[in-house]
Amino acid sequence: MIAVNPDGKIMVRRCLVTLRPFRLFVLGIGFFTLCFLMTSLGGQFSARRLGDSPFTIRTEVPGGSESRGALRKMSDLLELMVKRMDMLARLENGSELHHTASAAHLAADRLTPGAGLIERIQAIAQNVSDIAVKVDQILRHSLILHSKVSEGRRDQCEAPSDPKFPDCSGKVEWMRARWTSDPCYAFFGVDGTECSFLIYLSEVEWFCPPLPWRNQTASWTAPKTLPKVQAVFRNNLSHLLELMGSGKESLIFMKKRTRRFTAQWTKAAQHLAQRLGDIRRDQKQILIHIGFLTEESGDVFSPRVLKGGPLGEMVQWADILAALYMLGHSLRITVSLKELQSNLGVPPGRGNCPLTVPLPFDLIYTDYHGLQQMKQYMGLSFKKYRCRIRVIDTFGTEPAYNHEEYATLHGYRTNWGYWNLNPKQFMTMFPHTPDNSFMGFVSEELNETEKQIIKESKASNMAVVYGKEASIWKGKEKFLAILNKYMEIHGTVYYESQRPPEVPAFVKNHGLLPQPEFQQLLRKAKLFIGFGFPYEGPAPLEAIANGCIFLQCRFSPPHSSLNHEFFRGKPTSREVFSQHPYAENFIGKPHVWTVDYNNSEEFEAAVKAILSTQVDPYLPYEYTCAGMLERIHAYIQHQDFCARPSPVPSGAHTAQSPFVLASNATHLEWSQNISSIAGAWPPPHSLRAWLAAPGRACTDACLDHGLVCEPSFFPYLNSQDAFLKLRVPCDSTEWEMHHLYPAFAQPGQECYLQKEPLLFSCAGASTKYQRLCPCRDFHKGQVALCQSCL
């Protein structure tokens, strides 16, 4: 047995107890030092790394290999230290478990390594300290070098005073203060330095001039333009139904409608293909974003589809999708904000930056909700690409409400206007606003056999009331009582089983009917009667197409945003003289009867006259599948709101006047000696110009002559020469911004010309002015197109 010195055992234990906290301390300090150094220097000791933004400037630091070697040495030493600490821990645990003589012998044998461990740890600590000093020297050298580089580029990273970029310095100041307000700036490489501000403002946005030295470092390359593909008419809609998606009642309704009209769309596409012959049509990449169906906009329509809610918007959207698809274009359909952002290439953030890629779509069809969503997330790209947008706008937007500055100054600003678009970019359900483009929808077209069957099966005294909501029937008991004396009254009012609708007992209510069953009801009825609401829906056209006579009320005074809650806030001053102005003005008797419902005798006389009136089913061509395809094809082929204005802005700047006074001296015509302007659409040779009576809008003045107002012709008339040719004495001529100009003011013999092209407007009138109005001809049944427009 070997004798063990108790003092040696105690010394070992004390040493081990003392070393445990020191071990943890050294280990923690070593790990922290390693992380700090690697984080601080990792980017400095390398050139550009994979994934760096093309706008980030990096410099290669001399001595990088030396610093990396030093860090590796420190890592190796720290790893050795950890291993030594583990050996020490095992030594400590073993000494506490054994109390026998043999255990004491082993402990005495290990005393020498344990005693020398302190010296080793001290040596390691000294090495770490030496490495820290070395790294500090490298850091100082790197900072000095970076300072020299920055000093060399300081003159290149200052906001230039270039008159072509007057907003540059102001934008740089804004970036200094606000670049962290949206993560999208960091996404594009902005890091708080002057150079990153200027690079962003010159290469992502366009407020500053390009930096000369960026020619070698910038990595952006122009996107390759894809070869044009010719559009080919399609012969079925099956793939479109897949593109439309599902999950919403509104989409289900739209898909059912599309499926029901497939045969008519196919026939119409074949007919248009034959008419166009070999005309080349480029296939357009089109995004359709139905904003009112997004959850972010509330999607108030989907829950009401099965409860009698309005279906007009969904009818129109379903038909727009079908027409665009049958014309052979490539469609992308979105009904959610997430899908919209993905398709547009919206960068992460709050929407202050432009898109990450050039807009991949030639056209975008949306509504006012979608327009607002795109403006929110497209940043400056919205202004760049807004010329490609087409806004489906049921009631229309007049130029006075569309021009932001003018609307604000003159009281025309509403929640829906002030977009500064070309007014023709707004597309309406009916052709009530010539300043906008007429988009429309379709109704079912009957063949001759179907028309004959309907005529033979018509009930002579059956009336169907226009209105699926019980609220429409309230207060109409007087009219219903008169109508009930002559006709059997049917309704399609939505109701729940436990709550019968509030309609008179003599009304036979069918409840809310699916569209095919509603069509069958109309085919039996003699009369389709409206009680003033809803305005301008598709149902009256469907009724007339199924052989019904439509009876509606005349409004006196006319309804408008000035006197009726429904129109208040809408971007139009249009006066509505009846429930369905298109039916009254473009169809009329014998299919449409408009009477004063406040006059009971007039109302009853109309009902009696209708009983003895025979009509055939009638549908205007512009509301057939063929008419809508023809119209949308013409728009896509000829409407280009991204092109620069014509080089001939007005007649005043032409070498020879393009007008001649008509032989009866009442109006101006386009001179036969002046060739048509290339690319102008509609062709200006269809122009006819009248001086309207005081207080008369150009819309009405043109209709008085059997023509329609054409706002794209205003620039040709916006000259002194036009007034002279009409023999209007102008004592003075002024250019001003006003939606009624060009015009002549009788008191003072003053002529006014339009200063702002976006304010050329067919709508609007004042007793102070005689407006100079451009009119054109049109196809019968296709008011949107002139006779040589297709």
Side-chain angles (χ1 to χ4, degrees):
M1 299 292 291
I2 300 174
V4 179
N5 188 348
D7 293 337
K9 181 178 179 180
I10 293 172
M11 183 182 66
V12 171
R13 287 192 174 184
R14 286 180 178 177
C15 181
L16 294 174
V17 172
T18 303
L19 285 175
R20 175 179 287 181
F22 179 71
R23 176 189 64 189
L24 297 175
F25 172 75
V26 172
L27 186 61
I29 288 297
F31 182 73
F32 173 77
T33 303
L34 179 62
C35 292
F36 172 76
L37 292 174
M38 294 300 291
T39 303
S40 301
L41 301 177
Q44 300 291 337
F45 299 142
S46 62
R48 283 197 43 173
R49 298 169 295 182
L50 184 64
D52 281 344
S53 166
F55 305 120
T56 303
I57 301 173
R58 297 192 182 275
T59 56
E60 182 69 32
V61 179
S65 59
E66 179 184 0
S67 61
R68 286 193 291 270
L71 288 174
R72 283 197 298 269
K73 183 178 179 182
M74 186 182 73
S75 177
D76 294 340
L77 288 172
L78 288 174
E79 184 179 358
L80 177 61
M81 184 175 67
V82 171
K83 291 180 180 179
R84 294 290 185 180
M85 292 299 102
D86 289 339
M87 291 174 60
L88 184 60
R90 288 195 295 271
L91 176 61
E92 178 185 10
N93 293 335
S95 66
E96 292 176 347
L97 293 174
H98 302 287
H99 302 284
T100 62
S102 59
H105 170 72
L106 290 173
D109 289 343
R110 292 176 181 172
L111 180 59
T112 302
L117 191 58
I118 297 176
E119 296 178 359
R120 290 191 178 94
I121 292 174
Q122 289 176 342
I124 293 172
Q126 183 61 45
N127 286 332
V128 171
S129 177
D130 293 341
I131 293 173
V133 172
K134 183 68 175 177
V135 168
D136 182 66
Q137 292 174 351
I138 296 173
L139 271 174
R140 291 177 183 275
H141 178 75
S142 174
L143 290 173
I144 292 172
L145 178 64
H146 181 69
S147 176
K148 290 181 179 179
V149 173
S150 299
E151 188 69 27
R153 281 187 175 169
R154 178 166 297 177
D155 59 332
Q156 295 176 319
C157 289
E158 290 183 353
S161 56
D162 190 332
K164 296 180 181 178
F165 299 88
D167 299 324
C168 182
S169 58
K171 289 293 181 180
V172 172
E173 287 291 335
W174 188 96
M175 291 291 288
R176 287 194 193 109
R178 301 291 303 279
W179 76 272
T180 58
S181 63
D182 194 323
C184 70
Y185 297 116
F187 174 83
F188 280 109
V190 177
D191 57 10
T193 62
E194 294 293 301
C195 283
S196 69
F197 295 155
L198 288 172
I199 292 170
Y200 174 84
L201 291 171
S202 62
E203 296 181 16
V204 180
E205 297 185 4
W206 43 88
F207 292 105
C208 294
L211 301 176
W213 51 270
R214 284 290 293 173
N215 292 337
Q216 297 178 357
T217 59
S219 62
W220 288 113
T221 57
K224 295 181 180 179
T225 55
L226 298 175
K228 293 289 185 180
V229 178
Q230 188 166 359
V232 178
F233 286 98
R234 295 187 173 98
N235 55 17
N236 69 79
L237 293 166
S238 56
H239 182 55
L240 174 63
L241 298 175
E242 297 176 7
L243 292 175
M244 292 171 70
S246 58
K248 293 176 178 284
E249 290 294 339
S250 49
L251 293 176
I252 294 172
F253 170 84
M254 291 165 62
K255 290 172 73 171
K256 288 181 178 178
R257 176 179 175 84
T258 301
R259 194 176 290 110
R260 186 161 58 90
F261 279 82
T262 296
Q264 295 197 28
W265 283 118
T266 303
K267 181 180 178 181
Q270 294 171 349
H271 176 69
L272 183 59
Q274 293 174 356
R275 287 186 59 190
L276 296 179
D278 297 330
I279 294 177
R280 179 178 176 84
R281 300 182 304 115
D282 291 334
Q283 185 186 64
K284 304 294 185 181
Q285 300 295 319
I286 301 177
L287 174 66
I288 298 101
H289 177 61
I290 310 177
F292 75 88
L293 292 184
T294 61
E295 298 298 331
E296 290 77 11
S297 68
D299 189 13
V300 297
F301 287 92
S302 292
R304 300 178 62 192
V305 169
L306 301 179
K307 297 183 179 181
L311 302 177
E313 287 82 359
M314 283 168 275
V315 165
Q316 187 179 31
W317 273 110
D319 296 345
I320 292 171
L321 292 174
L324 292 173
Y325 186 80
M326 293 303 290
L327 286 170
H329 300 294
S330 177
L331 308 186
R332 191 74 59 85
I333 304 170
T334 64
V335 292
S336 75
L337 197 54
K338 185 177 180 180
E339 292 175 321
L340 174 67
Q341 292 172 314
S342 174
N343 282 286
L344 291 178
V346 175
R350 300 184 178 91
N352 290 306
C353 298
L355 302 179
T356 58
V357 294
L359 187 69
F361 301 104
D362 302 301
L363 292 170
I364 299 177
Y365 287 82
T366 188
D367 51 27
Y368 262 121
H369 293 284
L371 193 64
Q372 183 64 50
Q373 291 167 350
M374 283 188 281
K375 182 180 181 181
Q376 180 180 355
Y377 289 99
M378 289 177 68
L380 286 175
S381 295
F382 179 81
K383 184 176 181 180
K384 180 178 180 180
Y385 294 120
R386 64 184 176 184
C387 60
R388 303 187 191 184
I389 297 174
R390 306 293 184 264
V391 184
I392 307 306
D393 177 16
T394 302
F395 295 98
T397 298
E398 294 177 1
Y401 294 83
N402 170 62
H403 192 282
E404 184 175 14
E405 178 185 356
Y406 186 81
T408 303
L409 292 175
H410 295 83
Y412 291 103
R413 180 146 186 159
T414 71
N415 292 333
W416 300 105
Y418 62 85
W419 288 97
N420 289 329
L421 301 178
N422 186 308
K424 282 289 186 179
Q425 290 178 253
F426 298 98
M427 310 190 108
T428 60
M429 184 172 280
F430 291 96
H432 46 59
T433 308
D435 297 308
N436 305 148
S437 298
F438 164 48
M439 172 59 77
F441 58 94
V442 302
S443 289
E444 189 170 2
E445 188 176 9
L446 305 177
N447 57 40
E448 293 302 320
T449 301
E450 291 172 324
K451 290 179 181 179
Q452 187 61 37
I453 293 174
I454 287 176
K455 289 178 65 175
E456 294 173 356
S457 61
K458 277 286 181 184
S460 60
N461 63 342
M462 177 179 170
V464 176
V465 175
Y466 181 20
K468 296 172 290 185
E469 296 183 359
S471 60
I472 297 175
W473 295 64
K474 292 182 179 179
K476 307 301 188 299
E477 292 79 9
K478 182 179 180 181
F479 311 123
L480 289 170
I482 296 175
L483 185 61
N484 188 48
K485 293 194 305 183
Y486 302 96
M487 290 190 171
E488 179 183 280
I489 305 176
H490 293 247
T492 58
V493 182
Y494 167 78
Y495 68 94
E496 297 176 355
S497 57
Q498 64 273 23
R499 290 187 60 190
E502 299 177 4
V503 298
F506 53 77
V507 174
K508 184 178 181 180
N509 185 38
H510 299 263
L512 192 63
L513 294 177
Q515 198 68 11
E517 294 181 27
F518 179 65
Q519 296 288 329
Q520 292 300 321
L521 186 66
L522 292 177
R523 293 184 178 188
K524 297 177 182 178
K526 172 79 173 181
L527 175 67
F528 189 64
I529 180 171
F531 284 140
F533 189 84
Y535 299 99
E536 298 179 308
L541 287 191
E542 294 175 346
I544 296 169
N546 282 288
C548 294
I549 293 174
F550 178 51
L551 176 63
Q552 63 172 346
C553 55
R554 181 185 298 115
F555 299 142
S556 182
H559 293 181
S560 71
S561 58
L562 299 177
N563 62 9
H564 203 276
E565 187 62 31
F566 178 83
F567 291 101
R568 190 165 289 118
K570 289 182 171 56
T572 175
S573 298
R574 182 168 63 101
E575 293 182 325
V576 178
F577 288 85
S578 63
Q579 182 176 354
H580 207 289
Y582 175 85
E584 177 185 10
N585 298 323
F586 287 87
I587 300 178
K589 288 185 177 181
H591 300 279
V592 180
W593 294 59
T594 305
V595 301
D596 182 6
Y597 280 23
N598 293 321
N599 186 328
S600 300
E601 294 180 356
E602 182 180 353
F603 177 79
E604 188 168 0
V607 172
K608 291 179 180 179
I610 289 171
L611 285 171
S612 59
T613 301
Q614 300 296 322
V615 296
D616 294 330
Y618 172 73
L619 179 63
Y621 175 74
E622 54 201 352
Y623 285 97
T624 65
C625 291
M628 188 170 184
L629 273 184
E630 179 183 276
R631 188 166 59 250
I632 295 181
H633 156 73
Y635 290 156
I636 292 176
Q637 285 290 99
H638 300 290
Q639 286 185 337
D640 184 2
F641 304 115
C642 299
R644 293 190 175 186
S646 168
V648 185
S650 69
H653 297 88
T654 57
Q656 182 181 359
S657 173
F659 311 113
V660 294
L661 188 65
S663 57
N664 58 5
T666 59
H667 64 279
L668 298 180
E669 296 178 348
W670 191 266
S671 174
Q672 295 181 353
N673 297 327
I674 303 295
S675 59
S676 295
I677 299 173
W681 192 86
H685 61 73
S686 62
L687 168 65
R688 306 288 185 271
W690 268 269
L691 192 66
R696 197 77 172 151
C698 286
T699 303
D700 301 321
C702 292
L703 286 175
D704 291 342
H705 298 284
L707 304 171
V708 294
C709 181
E710 179 50 61
S712 64
F713 289 164
F714 269 116
Y716 305 122
L717 294 178
N718 195 40
S719 68
Q720 228 177 348
D721 178 69
F723 287 106
L724 291 174
K725 287 289 175 61
L726 281 170
R727 301 173 183 173
V728 175
C730 297
D731 291 346
S732 65
T733 304
E734 296 183 18
W735 292 75
E736 292 185 11
M737 190 169 68
H738 198 291
H739 72 286
L740 299 182
Y741 296 166
F744 173 70
Q746 187 69 35
Q749 306 290 306
E750 295 176 313
C751 293
Y752 294 95
L753 301 178
Q754 181 60 260
K755 187 178 180 181
E756 172 52 66
L758 287 181
L759 285 175
F760 284 128
S761 176
C762 293
S766 170
T767 54
K768 179 182 177 181
Y769 299 112
Q770 286 184 269
R771 300 194 57 193
L772 187 56
C773 299
C775 309
R776 64 162 171 83
D777 55 30
F778 60 92
H779 275 288
K780 184 179 181 181
Q782 186 69 293
V783 69
L785 303 180
C786 67
Q787 293 182 6
S788 57
C789 278
L790 191 62

